Amino acid sequence: MVAEEIRTFGAIQVMIGLINFALGYIWIRLFIRQYTSFSLTYIPLTLFSGYPFWASLIYVISGIFAIEAEKKRYPILLEYTIRMSINSVALSVAGQLIILFEITLFLVKHVKSQWSHQSGIILSVYLWMFSLVELILAKKVAKWGIKTIDNTSYNI
């Protein structure tokens, strides 16, 4: 992979982290303002798990490590980049499962959805899409880190 690609992937990971945080904030605002309409009809597991917030932190840190590791190529930075990318992959998979479970729980109930439910599903779908993109990027960055370590024969 070209060096600029890894920097770009790292920058995109940072942006995805910030977008996840923003979507989580919007989710909180929606839930607080429309608490009575959610009740037991729609249970926002994604919001209750805190996924948008802890995922955004991990994604941003992972992206920063990817950018710095590509610039400096220190063995310790490469190791941290690989570890954080693997954490991002695991977190993305966990987030996708939580979101799919949330949406499935709501759709199985067959209740008439209100605008707040539809907005919640849209926010969850956006979170799902961004976690899918993060999964792909983090996987590529981890592969790059492992390949770089193998090619330069660093002893980590």
Side-chain angles (χ1 to χ4, degrees), residues 16-84:
I16 287 173
L18 297 175
I19 290 169
N20 272 5
F21 185 84
L23 289 171
Y25 179 76
I26 293 169
W27 232 130
I28 283 179
R29 301 295 295 180
L30 174 68
F31 184 73
I32 289 171
R33 290 181 185 259
Q34 299 297 319
Y35 176 74
T36 55
S37 71
F38 280 102
S39 63
L40 293 177
T41 310
Y42 187 127
I43 302 169
L45 295 175
T46 307
L47 182 64
F48 292 156
S49 70
Y51 169 75
F53 305 107
W54 42 268
S56 65
L57 178 67
I58 299 297
Y59 296 165
V60 168
I61 292 171
S62 180
I64 290 170
F65 274 127
I67 293 168
E68 288 302 311
E70 194 287 315
K71 284 182 190 175
K72 298 178 182 166
R73 306 249 175 136
Y74 295 142
I76 194 76
L77 272 176
L78 286 172
E79 180 183 350
Y80 287 150
T81 300
I82 293 167
R83 287 182 183 180
M84 288 305 296

Side-chain angles (χ1 to χ4, degrees), residues 3 14 17 22 29-31 40 43 46 48 68 76 78 84-85 87 96 110 121 126 134-135 139-140 148 154:
V14 170
R29 301 295 295 180
L30 174 68
F31 184 73
L40 293 177
I43 302 169
T46 307
F48 292 156
E68 288 302 311
I76 194 76
L78 286 172
M84 288 305 296
S85 294
N87 288 339
Q96 289 174 7
H110 297 295
I121 288 177
Y126 283 151
E134 177 62 25
L135 173 73
K139 192 174 171 185
K140 287 186 181 231
T148 302
Y154 285 126

Side-chain angles (χ1 to χ4, degrees), residues 110-131:
H110 297 295
V111 295
K112 185 177 184 224
S113 64
Q114 300 171 0
W115 73 269
S116 55
H117 300 155
Q118 293 172 354
S119 300
I121 288 177
I122 289 170
L123 288 171
S124 293
V125 168
Y126 283 151
L127 281 168
W128 185 84
M129 289 187 315
F130 284 115
S131 69

